[in-house]
Amino acid sequence: MTNQQKTKSVLFNSLQCVDYCFNSKAWELMRKKKKTRWVILSSSQMCPCVQQPCSTPPSAPSPQSGTVKKTGNEWTALAHIITAVIGSGVLSLAWSIAQLGWIAGPITMLCFASVTLTSAFLLCNCYELIDQHGMITNRHGSYLDAVQSILGNRNAWFCGIIVRINFIKLGIVYTITSAISIRAIQKSNCYHNDGHEAECRYSNTKYMIIFGLVQALVSQIPDFRHTEWLSIVAALMSFAYSFIGSGLSLAKVIDNGEIKGGIGGWPSRNAGKKVWSVAEALGNIAFAFPFSVIFLEIQDTLKGPTEKATMKKASIMAVCTTTFFYLCCGGLGYAAFGTKTPGNLLTGFGFYDPYWLVDFANACVAVHLVGGYQVFSQPLYAITEKWLRKKLPQNQFFQVVGVAGAINFWPIVVYFPVEMYLKQKKIESWTTKKIVLRIYTYVCLVVILFAFVGSIRGLIIARFT
């Protein structure tokens, strides 16, 4: 049998060898009994499945990608990441630095930035699944898909719970925060008209309802790939209110004529109280950085075949940019207020004037959160719709809105990326790389547990005092 005849007879039972050998002249898709099979009609080279490798490794489209044309680049990826990472939490980082002081505060930010970038580099290697022949058999379009494919169903079950909880948590946090920002505009106008001592009290409820209605409309965006324009707008808004917060803080430092704050941060005669305030500050900083949970969704929007290099470049730019803004907002805020730093520079009314600029900054926060909500909710919609299509394949469904959640930094940003990287690269036990990554994992776990306990304690105290 000739090579051509052998090639004609090969039926592939999965999405392998789709782009088999770039010298292939033709291929045909056949569907039999709802199963996809690929038939190579002619080729100048043999397929790896018949024991002779191609000169160039082929690649198969991911089940998530289908035949959709990808148009993303490093700038759209950067916009997605900035939208996801720089949230209104940047305005509360001044309080965190106030607890840690001028030395520990910036160092802690740099440490968590390094952890986030490490996670990004590990996940870059988890996007493509490569078999023993060196061919790409699958592309993981989501974090959960990667865990299931690489680490198996048991890890995927556990990870699925955490990922869904994360998306739901962010939906709730964004809804509440947007309402607080809109309410702050009303309060700012009230203080301007009636004086800073006036009782300006407004309910958040109606603003939450308005935000929900806006999200119900915006959620009709088909999928993550179609949110590029929204991410760009949201990223611009985040830059705007970050600049305003930093600028107002710098103006206050100049007006004060001194840089407030100290090396040890917020002073306390009670050692226990100081320890817990440090834990809360670590928690705030830790949860301000990561974007791992949507990392692979973003990478799946990029044009091939350089997705990995493009995503690494975008990740470096994003982490450097966010760290710069965090240090500016946090550092300048602490320098302006010292031990009296408010929990939020804008909604905590560290600034009353110019009231119109404070109003504009809070409006930017609200607009940014519309985009941020979608960036994190679209993957949840996709998971839900995928399940519904499997159960009820003949129906069409609208997106759903998540409710309730909890914190999950360590498994999403540290544990699963490390485990997937180790398995994907087949790194053997007791090698230097594996030992270093294990130590990195456990050190991060200890820090995050400390931060988590401190944050829970802070919530309980706030609830009952």
Side-chain angles (χ1 to χ4, degrees):
M1 183 183 293
T2 65
N3 285 348
Q4 186 175 8
Q5 289 173 329
K6 286 182 180 180
T7 308
K8 285 183 179 179
S9 65
V10 176
L11 293 177
F12 299 97
N13 295 320
S14 64
L15 290 177
Q16 297 179 349
C17 304
V18 175
D19 291 327
Y20 174 70
C21 293
F22 293 110
N23 294 325
S24 296
K25 295 180 180 178
W27 49 265
E28 176 184 355
L29 172 65
M30 300 179 65
R31 293 187 180 276
K32 294 182 179 180
K33 298 180 180 179
K34 299 182 180 179
K35 293 183 179 179
T36 303
R37 297 174 181 269
W38 296 90
V39 179
I40 305 299
L41 295 181
S42 61
S43 174
S44 61
Q45 294 180 314
M46 290 298 297
C47 173
C49 298
V50 289
Q51 313 307 321
Q52 292 187 25
C54 300
S55 58
T56 307
S59 61
S62 70
Q64 294 77 24
S65 303
T67 58
V68 177
K69 183 180 180 181
K70 299 180 183 181
T71 59
N73 53 44
E74 62 265 29
W75 298 110
T76 59
L78 178 63
H80 283 312
I81 297 173
I82 293 295
T83 299
V85 177
I86 299 185
S88 58
V90 65
L91 301 170
S92 65
L93 290 176
W95 180 89
S96 298
I97 291 184
Q99 311 310 306
L100 298 171
W102 278 119
I103 295 178
I107 289 176
T108 301
M109 285 194 182
L110 293 175
C111 288
F112 279 107
S114 300
V115 171
T116 302
L117 195 57
T118 300
S119 174
F121 287 170
L122 294 174
L123 286 172
C124 275
N125 294 285
C126 300
Y127 177 59
E128 296 174 339
L129 186 65
I130 302 175
D131 67 6
Q132 65 271 26
H133 300 293
M135 35 175 311
I136 302 170
T137 59
N138 193 16
R139 288 189 175 90
H140 304 127
S142 72
Y143 190 98
L144 187 55
D145 287 340
V147 173
Q148 184 170 22
S149 176
I150 298 172
L151 299 180
N153 290 331
R154 181 177 297 180
N155 283 283
W157 177 83
F158 175 60
C159 179
I161 294 174
I162 298 173
V163 168
R164 289 168 176 82
I165 286 175
N166 181 68
F167 289 145
I168 292 170
K169 173 206 70 176
L170 289 167
I172 292 176
V173 170
Y174 279 23
T175 301
I176 295 173
T177 305
S178 65
I180 292 174
S181 296
I182 299 172
R183 184 188 65 175
I185 296 175
Q186 272 196 310
K187 292 180 71 174
S188 176
N189 293 335
C190 175
Y191 288 138
H192 176 72
N193 295 326
D194 301 334
H196 296 171
E197 303 301 323
E199 290 190 12
C200 301
R201 298 181 179 179
Y202 301 95
S203 171
N204 288 334
T205 305
K206 65 179 180 181
Y207 300 121
M208 291 184 186
I209 294 173
I210 292 172
F211 185 80
L213 292 174
V214 171
Q215 290 301 336
L217 177 64
V218 180
S219 293
Q220 304 313 309
I221 295 174
D223 54 39
F224 194 89
R225 293 186 186 87
H226 291 82
T227 62
E228 289 180 357
W229 65 271
L230 189 60
S231 289
I232 292 172
V233 172
L236 292 175
M237 294 298 102
S238 65
F239 286 138
Y241 65 71
S242 297
F243 272 122
I244 291 171
S246 298
L248 290 173
S249 296
L250 178 60
K252 188 169 181 64
V253 171
I254 296 173
D255 185 57
N256 293 338
E258 63 173 338
I259 296 176
K260 295 185 177 182
I263 294 176
W266 177 71
S268 176
R269 296 179 180 178
N270 187 324
K273 193 172 183 181
K274 177 65 176 179
V275 168
W276 290 122
S277 68
V278 169
E280 285 189 65
L282 289 175
N284 286 347
I285 296 172
F287 303 131
F289 272 101
F291 56 95
S292 301
V293 73
I294 59 166
F295 185 91
L296 294 177
E297 276 91 352
I298 297 174
Q299 189 166 346
D300 198 44
T301 67
L302 302 178
K303 291 183 290 187
T306 59
E307 298 101 328
K308 181 177 176 180
T310 301
M311 198 61 192
K312 278 189 175 182
K313 183 178 179 181
S315 298
I316 292 173
M317 291 191 297
V319 172
C320 290
T321 301
T322 55
T323 303
F324 171 77
F325 277 102
Y326 286 178
L327 288 172
C328 285
C329 281
L332 289 172
Y334 182 40
F337 296 98
T339 56
K340 296 182 180 180
T341 302
N344 186 298
L345 293 178
L346 295 178
T347 61
F349 286 93
F351 307 102
Y352 290 93
D353 295 302
Y355 79 98
W356 59 268
L357 187 58
V358 176
D359 287 354
F360 176 72
N362 278 308
C364 289
V365 172
V367 174
H368 167 252
L369 292 176
V370 172
Y373 186 102
Q374 285 300 311
V375 166
F376 281 107
S377 295
Q378 283 290 339
L380 177 61
Y381 300 157
I383 291 171
T384 305
E385 290 172 346
K386 182 178 179 181
W387 180 83
L388 289 172
R389 288 193 189 102
K390 184 182 293 185
K391 296 296 181 181
L392 301 168
Q394 299 304 318
N395 291 273
Q396 295 181 351
F397 303 96
F398 292 101
Q399 288 85 350
V400 296
V401 178
V403 290
I407 297 169
N408 43 52
F409 178 91
W410 181 78
I412 296 297
V413 179
V414 180
Y415 176 75
F416 284 116
V418 168
E419 292 301 311
M420 286 191 290
Y421 177 80
L422 292 174
K423 188 164 184 179
Q424 186 87 324
K425 294 298 182 179
K426 297 181 174 61
I427 298 175
E428 297 180 356
S429 300
W430 301 110
T431 58
T432 302
K433 182 177 287 188
K434 191 160 189 175
I435 292 172
V436 169
L437 286 174
R438 288 285 185 229
I439 294 173
Y440 160 79
T441 299
Y442 293 128
V443 169
C444 289
L445 175 61
V446 172
V447 173
I448 293 305
L449 285 176
F450 176 60
F452 179 75
V453 173
S455 299
I456 292 297
R457 178 183 177 275
L459 287 173
I460 294 173
I461 291 176
R463 172 64 180 83
F464 294 103
T465 56

